PDB file of all heavy atoms in Angstrom:
ATOM      1  N   SER A  22      56.269  39.861  13.002  1.00 50.00           N
ATOM      2  CA  SER A  22      57.664  39.529  12.795  1.00 50.00           C
ATOM      3  C   SER A  22      57.799  38.516  11.763  1.00 50.00           C
ATOM      4  O   SER A  22      58.705  38.498  10.994  1.00 50.00           O
ATOM      5  CB  SER A  22      58.234  38.955  14.120  1.00 50.00           C
ATOM      6  OG  SER A  22      57.551  37.778  14.506  1.00 50.00           O
ATOM      7  N   LEU A  23      56.801  37.570  11.710  1.00 47.00           N
ATOM      8  CA  LEU A  23      56.793  36.489  10.646  1.00 47.00           C
ATOM      9  C   LEU A  23      56.573  37.144   9.280  1.00 47.00           C
ATOM     10  O   LEU A  23      57.196  36.726   8.247  1.00 47.00           O
ATOM     11  CB  LEU A  23      55.740  35.427  10.953  1.00 47.00           C
ATOM     12  CG  LEU A  23      56.086  34.525  12.031  1.00 47.00           C
ATOM     13  CD1 LEU A  23      54.829  33.685  12.348  1.00 47.00           C
ATOM     14  CD2 LEU A  23      57.355  33.818  11.892  1.00 47.00           C
ATOM     15  N   THR A  24      55.646  38.200   9.196  1.00 52.00           N
ATOM     16  CA  THR A  24      55.382  38.858   7.930  1.00 52.00           C
ATOM     17  C   THR A  24      56.538  39.662   7.403  1.00 52.00           C
ATOM     18  O   THR A  24      56.882  39.673   6.170  1.00 52.00           O
ATOM     19  CB  THR A  24      54.144  39.699   8.049  1.00 52.00           C
ATOM     20  OG1 THR A  24      53.064  38.824   8.489  1.00 52.00           O
ATOM     21  CG2 THR A  24      53.738  40.259   6.750  1.00 52.00           C
ATOM     22  N   ALA A  25      57.192  40.273   8.300  1.00 49.00           N
ATOM     23  CA  ALA A  25      58.255  41.209   7.938  1.00 49.00           C
ATOM     24  C   ALA A  25      59.560  40.486   7.530  1.00 49.00           C
ATOM     25  O   ALA A  25      60.402  41.003   6.769  1.00 49.00           O
ATOM     26  CB  ALA A  25      58.558  42.285   9.074  1.00 49.00           C
ATOM     27  N   ARG A  26      59.704  39.364   8.148  1.00 52.00           N
ATOM     28  CA  ARG A  26      60.957  38.560   7.823  1.00 52.00           C
ATOM     29  C   ARG A  26      60.907  38.005   6.479  1.00 52.00           C
ATOM     30  O   ARG A  26      60.054  37.292   6.101  1.00 52.00           O
ATOM     31  CB  ARG A  26      61.159  37.435   8.891  1.00 52.00           C
ATOM     32  CG  ARG A  26      62.480  36.650   8.779  1.00 52.00           C
ATOM     33  CD  ARG A  26      62.550  35.650   9.790  1.00 52.00           C
ATOM     34  NE  ARG A  26      62.618  36.339  11.173  1.00 52.00           N
ATOM     35  CZ  ARG A  26      62.539  35.543  12.266  1.00 52.00           C
ATOM     36  NH1 ARG A  26      62.450  34.308  12.293  1.00 52.00           N
ATOM     37  NH2 ARG A  26      62.543  36.202  13.474  1.00 52.00           N
ATOM     38  N   PRO A  27      62.030  38.294   5.634  1.00 52.00           N
ATOM     39  CA  PRO A  27      62.063  37.787   4.290  1.00 52.00           C
ATOM     40  C   PRO A  27      62.262  36.316   4.267  1.00 52.00           C
ATOM     41  O   PRO A  27      63.027  35.763   5.133  1.00 52.00           O
ATOM     42  CB  PRO A  27      63.119  38.418   3.626  1.00 52.00           C
ATOM     43  CG  PRO A  27      64.026  38.901   4.786  1.00 52.00           C
ATOM     44  CD  PRO A  27      63.111  39.175   5.952  1.00 52.00           C
ATOM     45  N   VAL A  28      61.592  35.666   3.384  1.00 51.00           N
ATOM     46  CA  VAL A  28      61.757  34.098   3.308  1.00 51.00           C
ATOM     47  C   VAL A  28      62.762  33.797   2.375  1.00 51.00           C
ATOM     48  O   VAL A  28      62.717  34.213   1.216  1.00 51.00           O
ATOM     49  CB  VAL A  28      60.393  33.430   2.908  1.00 51.00           C
ATOM     50  CG1 VAL A  28      60.512  31.934   2.722  1.00 51.00           C
ATOM     51  CG2 VAL A  28      59.213  33.794   3.824  1.00 51.00           C
ATOM     52  N   SER A  29      63.855  33.249   2.822  1.00 51.00           N
ATOM     53  CA  SER A  29      64.978  32.874   1.877  1.00 51.00           C
ATOM     54  C   SER A  29      64.622  31.463   1.150  1.00 51.00           C
ATOM     55  O   SER A  29      64.123  30.563   1.677  1.00 51.00           O
ATOM     56  CB  SER A  29      66.239  32.669   2.633  1.00 51.00           C
ATOM     57  OG  SER A  29      66.116  31.573   3.581  1.00 51.00           O
ATOM     58  N   ARG A  30      64.857  31.610  -0.163  1.00 57.00           N
ATOM     59  CA  ARG A  30      64.624  30.545  -1.124  1.00 57.00           C
ATOM     60  C   ARG A  30      65.964  30.027  -1.625  1.00 57.00           C
ATOM     61  O   ARG A  30      66.699  30.710  -2.029  1.00 57.00           O
ATOM     62  CB  ARG A  30      63.698  30.805  -2.273  1.00 57.00           C
ATOM     63  CG  ARG A  30      62.219  31.233  -1.780  1.00 57.00           C
ATOM     64  CD  ARG A  30      61.319  31.442  -2.848  1.00 57.00           C
ATOM     65  NE  ARG A  30      59.988  31.933  -2.358  1.00 57.00           N
ATOM     66  CZ  ARG A  30      59.061  32.223  -3.237  1.00 57.00           C
ATOM     67  NH1 ARG A  30      59.270  32.318  -4.489  1.00 57.00           N
ATOM     68  NH2 ARG A  30      57.909  32.584  -2.733  1.00 57.00           N
ATOM     69  N   VAL A  31      65.987  28.634  -1.698  1.00 53.00           N
ATOM     70  CA  VAL A  31      67.227  28.095  -2.143  1.00 53.00           C
ATOM     71  C   VAL A  31      66.964  27.638  -3.595  1.00 53.00           C
ATOM     72  O   VAL A  31      65.996  26.870  -3.782  1.00 53.00           O
ATOM     73  CB  VAL A  31      67.720  26.804  -1.341  1.00 53.00           C
ATOM     74  CG1 VAL A  31      68.857  26.133  -2.077  1.00 53.00           C
ATOM     75  CG2 VAL A  31      67.909  27.148   0.090  1.00 53.00           C
ATOM     76  N   GLN A  32      67.717  28.150  -4.575  1.00 57.00           N
ATOM     77  CA  GLN A  32      67.547  27.820  -6.022  1.00 57.00           C
ATOM     78  C   GLN A  32      68.643  26.924  -6.461  1.00 57.00           C
ATOM     79  O   GLN A  32      69.853  27.150  -6.202  1.00 57.00           O
ATOM     80  CB  GLN A  32      67.508  29.185  -6.918  1.00 57.00           C
ATOM     81  CG  GLN A  32      66.330  29.978  -6.611  1.00 57.00           C
ATOM     82  CD  GLN A  32      66.323  31.243  -7.460  1.00 57.00           C
ATOM     83  OE1 GLN A  32      67.298  31.480  -8.181  1.00 57.00           O
ATOM     84  NE2 GLN A  32      65.270  31.962  -7.496  1.00 57.00           N
ATOM     85  N   ARG A  33      68.254  25.883  -7.026  1.00 59.00           N
ATOM     86  CA  ARG A  33      69.247  24.805  -7.554  1.00 59.00           C
ATOM     87  C   ARG A  33      69.409  24.985  -9.057  1.00 59.00           C
ATOM     88  O   ARG A  33      68.475  24.984  -9.731  1.00 59.00           O
ATOM     89  CB  ARG A  33      68.812  23.444  -7.162  1.00 59.00           C
ATOM     90  CG  ARG A  33      69.721  22.357  -7.580  1.00 59.00           C
ATOM     91  CD  ARG A  33      69.223  20.964  -7.028  1.00 59.00           C
ATOM     92  NE  ARG A  33      69.160  21.092  -5.602  1.00 59.00           N
ATOM     93  CZ  ARG A  33      68.803  20.043  -4.932  1.00 59.00           C
ATOM     94  NH1 ARG A  33      68.249  19.032  -5.460  1.00 59.00           N
ATOM     95  NH2 ARG A  33      68.758  20.086  -3.582  1.00 59.00           N
ATOM     96  N   VAL A  34      70.474  25.231  -9.474  1.00 47.00           N
ATOM     97  CA  VAL A  34      70.877  25.443 -10.949  1.00 47.00           C
ATOM     98  C   VAL A  34      71.622  24.200 -11.455  1.00 47.00           C
ATOM     99  O   VAL A  34      72.600  23.874 -10.853  1.00 47.00           O
ATOM    100  CB  VAL A  34      71.688  26.716 -11.168  1.00 47.00           C
ATOM    101  CG1 VAL A  34      71.936  26.936 -12.673  1.00 47.00           C
ATOM    102  CG2 VAL A  34      70.851  27.904 -10.663  1.00 47.00           C
ATOM    103  N   SER A  35      71.138  23.621 -12.533  1.00 45.00           N
ATOM    104  CA  SER A  35      71.835  22.518 -13.159  1.00 45.00           C
ATOM    105  C   SER A  35      72.467  22.871 -14.394  1.00 45.00           C
ATOM    106  O   SER A  35      71.785  23.585 -15.181  1.00 45.00           O
ATOM    107  CB  SER A  35      70.781  21.393 -13.484  1.00 45.00           C
ATOM    108  OG  SER A  35      70.039  20.954 -12.231  1.00 45.00           O
ATOM    109  N   VAL A  36      73.631  22.578 -14.563  1.00 38.00           N
ATOM    110  CA  VAL A  36      74.429  22.912 -15.776  1.00 38.00           C
ATOM    111  C   VAL A  36      74.643  21.572 -16.513  1.00 38.00           C
ATOM    112  O   VAL A  36      75.334  20.713 -15.971  1.00 38.00           O
ATOM    113  CB  VAL A  36      75.728  23.606 -15.354  1.00 38.00           C
ATOM    114  CG1 VAL A  36      76.605  23.871 -16.668  1.00 38.00           C
ATOM    115  CG2 VAL A  36      75.493  24.869 -14.645  1.00 38.00           C
ATOM    116  N   VAL A  37      74.236  21.561 -17.690  1.00 39.00           N
ATOM    117  CA  VAL A  37      74.461  20.452 -18.592  1.00 39.00           C
ATOM    118  C   VAL A  37      75.422  20.633 -19.655  1.00 39.00           C
ATOM    119  O   VAL A  37      75.308  21.734 -20.478  1.00 39.00           O
ATOM    120  CB  VAL A  37      73.093  19.978 -19.152  1.00 39.00           C
ATOM    121  CG1 VAL A  37      73.301  18.790 -20.057  1.00 39.00           C
ATOM    122  CG2 VAL A  37      72.078  19.732 -18.130  1.00 39.00           C
ATOM    123  N   THR A  38      76.354  19.960 -19.706  1.00 36.00           N
ATOM    124  CA  THR A  38      77.433  20.111 -20.791  1.00 36.00           C
ATOM    125  C   THR A  38      77.346  19.091 -21.897  1.00 36.00           C
ATOM    126  O   THR A  38      77.220  17.872 -21.439  1.00 36.00           O
ATOM    127  CB  THR A  38      78.854  20.114 -20.184  1.00 36.00           C
ATOM    128  OG1 THR A  38      78.986  20.966 -19.145  1.00 36.00           O
ATOM    129  CG2 THR A  38      79.919  20.290 -21.277  1.00 36.00           C
ATOM    130  N   GLN A  39      77.214  19.525 -23.128  1.00 40.00           N
ATOM    131  CA  GLN A  39      76.981  18.586 -24.116  1.00 40.00           C
ATOM    132  C   GLN A  39      78.019  18.609 -25.256  1.00 40.00           C
ATOM    133  O   GLN A  39      78.667  19.664 -25.471  1.00 40.00           O
ATOM    134  CB  GLN A  39      75.671  18.736 -24.907  1.00 40.00           C
ATOM    135  CG  GLN A  39      74.323  18.560 -24.041  1.00 40.00           C
ATOM    136  CD  GLN A  39      73.227  18.753 -24.908  1.00 40.00           C
ATOM    137  OE1 GLN A  39      73.196  19.382 -25.914  1.00 40.00           O
ATOM    138  NE2 GLN A  39      72.015  18.344 -24.350  1.00 40.00           N
ATOM    139  N   SER A  40      78.566  17.449 -25.671  1.00 46.00           N
ATOM    140  CA  SER A  40      79.519  17.466 -26.707  1.00 46.00           C
ATOM    141  C   SER A  40      78.853  17.598 -27.995  1.00 46.00           C
ATOM    142  O   SER A  40      77.679  17.716 -28.215  1.00 46.00           O
ATOM    143  CB  SER A  40      80.292  16.099 -26.710  1.00 46.00           C
ATOM    144  OG  SER A  40      79.357  15.030 -26.884  1.00 46.00           O
ATOM    145  N   ALA A  41      79.692  17.829 -29.001  1.00 51.00           N
ATOM    146  CA  ALA A  41      79.107  17.960 -30.357  1.00 51.00           C
ATOM    147  C   ALA A  41      78.238  16.770 -30.783  1.00 51.00           C
ATOM    148  O   ALA A  41      78.585  15.667 -30.602  1.00 51.00           O
ATOM    149  CB  ALA A  41      80.182  18.120 -31.386  1.00 51.00           C
ATOM    150  N   ALA A  42      77.046  17.016 -31.156  1.00 53.00           N
ATOM    151  CA  ALA A  42      76.165  15.998 -31.394  1.00 53.00           C
ATOM    152  C   ALA A  42      76.546  15.068 -32.531  1.00 53.00           C
ATOM    153  O   ALA A  42      76.951  15.456 -33.656  1.00 53.00           O
ATOM    154  CB  ALA A  42      74.713  16.574 -31.957  1.00 53.00           C
ATOM    155  N   GLY A  43      76.620  13.746 -32.286  1.00 67.00           N
ATOM    156  CA  GLY A  43      76.939  12.810 -33.272  1.00 67.00           C
ATOM    157  C   GLY A  43      78.426  12.648 -33.599  1.00 67.00           C
ATOM    158  O   GLY A  43      78.782  12.041 -34.730  1.00 67.00           O
ATOM    159  N   ASN A  44      79.321  13.255 -32.828  1.00 82.00           N
ATOM    160  CA  ASN A  44      80.753  13.181 -33.202  1.00 82.00           C
ATOM    161  C   ASN A  44      81.270  11.762 -33.050  1.00 82.00           C
ATOM    162  O   ASN A  44      80.664  11.000 -32.155  1.00 82.00           O
ATOM    163  CB  ASN A  44      81.544  14.275 -32.445  1.00 82.00           C
ATOM    164  CG  ASN A  44      81.812  15.517 -33.237  1.00 82.00           C
ATOM    165  OD1 ASN A  44      81.158  15.769 -34.104  1.00 82.00           O
ATOM    166  ND2 ASN A  44      82.815  16.076 -32.814  1.00 82.00           N
ATOM    167  N   TRP A  45      82.269  11.486 -33.828  1.00 81.00           N
ATOM    168  CA  TRP A  45      82.851  10.101 -33.680  1.00 81.00           C
ATOM    169  C   TRP A  45      83.410   9.772 -32.312  1.00 81.00           C
ATOM    170  O   TRP A  45      83.411   8.608 -31.995  1.00 81.00           O
ATOM    171  CB  TRP A  45      83.982   9.955 -34.773  1.00 81.00           C
ATOM    172  CG  TRP A  45      85.278  10.748 -34.495  1.00 81.00           C
ATOM    173  CD1 TRP A  45      85.411  12.070 -34.680  1.00 81.00           C
ATOM    174  CD2 TRP A  45      86.392  10.233 -33.860  1.00 81.00           C
ATOM    175  NE1 TRP A  45      86.609  12.494 -34.305  1.00 81.00           N
ATOM    176  CE2 TRP A  45      87.207  11.287 -33.825  1.00 81.00           C
ATOM    177  CE3 TRP A  45      86.778   8.981 -33.432  1.00 81.00           C
ATOM    178  CZ2 TRP A  45      88.540  11.211 -33.157  1.00 81.00           C
ATOM    179  CZ3 TRP A  45      88.043   8.907 -32.852  1.00 81.00           C
ATOM    180  CH2 TRP A  45      88.902   9.919 -32.752  1.00 81.00           C
ATOM    181  N   PHE A  46      83.879  10.662 -31.562  1.00 83.00           N
ATOM    182  CA  PHE A  46      84.320  10.570 -30.235  1.00 83.00           C
ATOM    183  C   PHE A  46      83.714  11.509 -29.293  1.00 83.00           C
ATOM    184  O   PHE A  46      83.623  12.706 -29.550  1.00 83.00           O
ATOM    185  CB  PHE A  46      85.882  10.714 -30.258  1.00 83.00           C
ATOM    186  CG  PHE A  46      86.560  10.340 -28.881  1.00 83.00           C
ATOM    187  CD1 PHE A  46      86.745   9.034 -28.715  1.00 83.00           C
ATOM    188  CD2 PHE A  46      86.900  11.401 -27.953  1.00 83.00           C
ATOM    189  CE1 PHE A  46      87.274   8.702 -27.505  1.00 83.00           C
ATOM    190  CE2 PHE A  46      87.473  10.923 -26.807  1.00 83.00           C
ATOM    191  CZ  PHE A  46      87.626   9.628 -26.481  1.00 83.00           C
ATOM    192  N   PRO A  47      83.125  10.964 -28.216  1.00 83.00           N
ATOM    193  CA  PRO A  47      82.459  11.856 -27.282  1.00 83.00           C
ATOM    194  C   PRO A  47      83.227  13.021 -26.761  1.00 83.00           C
ATOM    195  O   PRO A  47      84.374  12.707 -26.169  1.00 83.00           O
ATOM    196  CB  PRO A  47      81.890  10.842 -26.156  1.00 83.00           C
ATOM    197  CG  PRO A  47      81.946   9.531 -26.808  1.00 83.00           C
ATOM    198  CD  PRO A  47      82.980   9.526 -27.867  1.00 83.00           C
ATOM    199  N   GLY A  48      82.757  14.144 -26.887  1.00 80.00           N
ATOM    200  CA  GLY A  48      83.462  15.374 -26.294  1.00 80.00           C
ATOM    201  C   GLY A  48      84.458  16.015 -27.345  1.00 80.00           C
ATOM    202  O   GLY A  48      84.977  16.999 -27.076  1.00 80.00           O
ATOM    203  N   SER A  49      84.642  15.299 -28.520  1.00 81.00           N
ATOM    204  CA  SER A  49      85.604  15.897 -29.402  1.00 81.00           C
ATOM    205  C   SER A  49      85.043  17.009 -30.194  1.00 81.00           C
ATOM    206  O   SER A  49      83.828  17.124 -30.271  1.00 81.00           O
ATOM    207  CB  SER A  49      86.074  14.798 -30.431  1.00 81.00           C
ATOM    208  OG  SER A  49      84.920  14.364 -31.159  1.00 81.00           O
ATOM    209  N   GLU A  50      85.842  17.912 -30.617  1.00 85.00           N
ATOM    210  CA  GLU A  50      85.324  19.113 -31.427  1.00 85.00           C
ATOM    211  C   GLU A  50      85.417  18.802 -32.907  1.00 85.00           C
ATOM    212  O   GLU A  50      86.297  18.116 -33.346  1.00 85.00           O
ATOM    213  CB  GLU A  50      86.275  20.272 -31.096  1.00 85.00           C
ATOM    214  CG  GLU A  50      86.165  20.839 -29.634  1.00 85.00           C
ATOM    215  CD  GLU A  50      86.951  22.096 -29.409  1.00 85.00           C
ATOM    216  OE1 GLU A  50      87.607  22.549 -30.390  1.00 85.00           O
ATOM    217  OE2 GLU A  50      86.958  22.488 -28.281  1.00 85.00           O
ATOM    218  N   THR A  51      84.379  19.318 -33.597  1.00 86.00           N
ATOM    219  CA  THR A  51      84.316  19.101 -34.987  1.00 86.00           C
ATOM    220  C   THR A  51      85.261  20.076 -35.715  1.00 86.00           C
ATOM    221  O   THR A  51      85.332  21.303 -35.432  1.00 86.00           O
ATOM    222  CB  THR A  51      82.895  19.385 -35.564  1.00 86.00           C
ATOM    223  OG1 THR A  51      82.021  18.576 -34.786  1.00 86.00           O
ATOM    224  CG2 THR A  51      82.770  19.194 -37.070  1.00 86.00           C
ATOM    225  N   PRO A  52      86.100  19.645 -36.612  1.00 87.00           N
ATOM    226  CA  PRO A  52      87.038  20.520 -37.318  1.00 87.00           C
ATOM    227  C   PRO A  52      86.214  21.509 -38.088  1.00 87.00           C
ATOM    228  O   PRO A  52      85.025  21.358 -38.514  1.00 87.00           O
ATOM    229  CB  PRO A  52      87.657  19.548 -38.314  1.00 87.00           C
ATOM    230  CG  PRO A  52      87.630  18.198 -37.714  1.00 87.00           C
ATOM    231  CD  PRO A  52      86.346  18.171 -36.958  1.00 87.00           C
ATOM    232  N   ALA A  53      86.793  22.746 -38.189  1.00 86.00           N
ATOM    233  CA  ALA A  53      86.042  23.944 -38.805  1.00 86.00           C
ATOM    234  C   ALA A  53      85.641  23.571 -40.279  1.00 86.00           C
ATOM    235  O   ALA A  53      84.468  23.982 -40.586  1.00 86.00           O
ATOM    236  CB  ALA A  53      86.981  25.138 -38.794  1.00 86.00           C
ATOM    237  N   HIS A  54      86.415  22.876 -40.908  1.00 85.00           N
ATOM    238  CA  HIS A  54      86.033  22.553 -42.388  1.00 85.00           C
ATOM    239  C   HIS A  54      84.968  21.538 -42.457  1.00 85.00           C
ATOM    240  O   HIS A  54      84.386  21.382 -43.582  1.00 85.00           O
ATOM    241  CB  HIS A  54      87.231  22.138 -43.118  1.00 85.00           C
ATOM    242  CG  HIS A  54      87.912  20.921 -42.620  1.00 85.00           C
ATOM    243  ND1 HIS A  54      88.780  21.034 -41.664  1.00 85.00           N
ATOM    244  CD2 HIS A  54      87.822  19.681 -42.998  1.00 85.00           C
ATOM    245  CE1 HIS A  54      89.230  19.758 -41.315  1.00 85.00           C
ATOM    246  NE2 HIS A  54      88.680  18.959 -42.212  1.00 85.00           N
ATOM    247  N   LEU A  55      84.584  20.919 -41.419  1.00 87.00           N
ATOM    248  CA  LEU A  55      83.438  19.899 -41.413  1.00 87.00           C
ATOM    249  C   LEU A  55      82.244  20.435 -40.606  1.00 87.00           C
ATOM    250  O   LEU A  55      81.187  19.732 -40.614  1.00 87.00           O
ATOM    251  CB  LEU A  55      83.830  18.647 -40.856  1.00 87.00           C
ATOM    252  CG  LEU A  55      84.942  17.866 -41.611  1.00 87.00           C
ATOM    253  CD1 LEU A  55      85.417  16.639 -40.879  1.00 87.00           C
ATOM    254  CD2 LEU A  55      84.535  17.539 -43.029  1.00 87.00           C
ATOM    255  N   SER A  56      82.417  21.503 -39.927  1.00 83.00           N
ATOM    256  CA  SER A  56      81.273  21.969 -38.938  1.00 83.00           C
ATOM    257  C   SER A  56      80.085  22.323 -39.742  1.00 83.00           C
ATOM    258  O   SER A  56      78.974  22.132 -39.192  1.00 83.00           O
ATOM    259  CB  SER A  56      81.721  23.044 -38.188  1.00 83.00           C
ATOM    260  OG  SER A  56      82.213  24.220 -39.003  1.00 83.00           O
ATOM    261  N   SER A  57      80.207  22.876 -40.938  1.00 79.00           N
ATOM    262  CA  SER A  57      79.147  23.251 -41.690  1.00 79.00           C
ATOM    263  C   SER A  57      78.772  22.322 -42.972  1.00 79.00           C
ATOM    264  O   SER A  57      78.016  22.683 -43.786  1.00 79.00           O
ATOM    265  CB  SER A  57      79.285  24.716 -42.256  1.00 79.00           C
ATOM    266  OG  SER A  57      80.407  24.731 -43.156  1.00 79.00           O
ATOM    267  N   SER A  58      79.450  21.283 -42.948  1.00 79.00           N
ATOM    268  CA  SER A  58      79.389  20.277 -44.058  1.00 79.00           C
ATOM    269  C   SER A  58      78.068  19.441 -43.924  1.00 79.00           C
ATOM    270  O   SER A  58      77.722  19.054 -42.851  1.00 79.00           O
ATOM    271  CB  SER A  58      80.544  19.387 -44.144  1.00 79.00           C
ATOM    272  OG  SER A  58      80.381  18.348 -45.097  1.00 79.00           O
ATOM    273  N   SER A  59      77.457  19.133 -45.057  1.00 85.00           N
ATOM    274  CA  SER A  59      76.201  18.370 -45.042  1.00 85.00           C
ATOM    275  C   SER A  59      76.364  17.039 -45.698  1.00 85.00           C
ATOM    276  O   SER A  59      75.505  16.355 -46.090  1.00 85.00           O
ATOM    277  CB  SER A  59      75.075  19.032 -45.802  1.00 85.00           C
ATOM    278  OG  SER A  59      75.516  19.352 -47.099  1.00 85.00           O
ATOM    279  N   LEU A  60      77.742  16.580 -45.692  1.00 88.00           N
ATOM    280  CA  LEU A  60      78.042  15.285 -46.312  1.00 88.00           C
ATOM    281  C   LEU A  60      77.383  14.058 -45.431  1.00 88.00           C
ATOM    282  O   LEU A  60      77.441  14.163 -44.210  1.00 88.00           O
ATOM    283  CB  LEU A  60      79.571  15.164 -46.311  1.00 88.00           C
ATOM    284  CG  LEU A  60      80.335  15.962 -47.230  1.00 88.00           C
ATOM    285  CD1 LEU A  60      81.796  15.757 -47.102  1.00 88.00           C
ATOM    286  CD2 LEU A  60      79.927  15.642 -48.752  1.00 88.00           C
ATOM    287  N   PRO A  61      76.874  13.136 -46.117  1.00 89.00           N
ATOM    288  CA  PRO A  61      76.321  11.960 -45.379  1.00 89.00           C
ATOM    289  C   PRO A  61      77.389  11.322 -44.527  1.00 89.00           C
ATOM    290  O   PRO A  61      78.516  11.030 -44.995  1.00 89.00           O
ATOM    291  CB  PRO A  61      75.801  11.126 -46.583  1.00 89.00           C
ATOM    292  CG  PRO A  61      75.551  12.007 -47.675  1.00 89.00           C
ATOM    293  CD  PRO A  61      76.674  12.986 -47.524  1.00 89.00           C
ATOM    294  N   GLY A  62      76.992  10.998 -43.325  1.00 89.00           N
ATOM    295  CA  GLY A  62      77.931  10.328 -42.490  1.00 89.00           C
ATOM    296  C   GLY A  62      79.112  11.250 -42.027  1.00 89.00           C
ATOM    297  O   GLY A  62      80.166  10.731 -41.528  1.00 89.00           O
ATOM    298  N   ASN A  63      78.816  12.545 -41.758  1.00 89.00           N
ATOM    299  CA  ASN A  63      79.895  13.384 -41.364  1.00 89.00           C
ATOM    300  C   ASN A  63      79.766  13.366 -39.903  1.00 89.00           C
ATOM    301  O   ASN A  63      78.921  13.968 -39.196  1.00 89.00           O
ATOM    302  CB  ASN A  63      79.697  14.843 -41.892  1.00 89.00           C
ATOM    303  CG  ASN A  63      80.537  15.860 -41.260  1.00 89.00           C
ATOM    304  OD1 ASN A  63      81.633  15.550 -40.769  1.00 89.00           O
ATOM    305  ND2 ASN A  63      80.087  17.094 -41.308  1.00 89.00           N
ATOM    306  N   PHE A  64      80.795  12.744 -39.144  1.00 89.00           N
ATOM    307  CA  PHE A  64      80.890  12.720 -37.726  1.00 89.00           C
ATOM    308  C   PHE A  64      82.022  13.478 -37.212  1.00 89.00           C
ATOM    309  O   PHE A  64      82.604  13.212 -36.122  1.00 89.00           O
ATOM    310  CB  PHE A  64      80.899  11.232 -37.192  1.00 89.00           C
ATOM    311  CG  PHE A  64      79.592  10.558 -37.645  1.00 89.00           C
ATOM    312  CD1 PHE A  64      79.642   9.636 -38.742  1.00 89.00           C
ATOM    313  CD2 PHE A  64      78.419  10.731 -37.041  1.00 89.00           C
ATOM    314  CE1 PHE A  64      78.528   8.874 -39.072  1.00 89.00           C
ATOM    315  CE2 PHE A  64      77.279  10.019 -37.299  1.00 89.00           C
ATOM    316  CZ  PHE A  64      77.365   9.116 -38.353  1.00 89.00           C
ATOM    317  N   GLY A  65      82.571  14.415 -38.006  1.00 88.00           N
ATOM    318  CA  GLY A  65      83.725  15.183 -37.479  1.00 88.00           C
ATOM    319  C   GLY A  65      84.997  14.504 -37.446  1.00 88.00           C
ATOM    320  O   GLY A  65      85.870  14.918 -36.723  1.00 88.00           O
TER     321      GLY A  65
END
């Protein structure tokens, strides 16, 4: 009975939400015209 009974496993899933890296305001979106810009000091 112990062998036949399936062992239930609890899986914990962590979801991490990140804002745009280095943006001037945490969580703000980078404007489309600056998203691909390589200008020095571009923080969106």
Side-chain angles (χ1 to χ4, degrees):
S22 62
L23 291 175
T24 304
R26 182 178 298 173
V28 179
S29 60
R30 296 180 180 178
V31 178
Q32 294 183 348
R33 184 173 297 173
V34 179
S35 300
V36 179
V37 180
T38 303
Q39 294 182 345
S40 60
N44 261 23
W45 69 280
F46 187 79
S49 61
E50 296 183 1
T51 303
H54 59 278
L55 295 178
S56 60
S57 60
S58 175
S59 59
L60 290 172
N63 174 22
F64 297 105

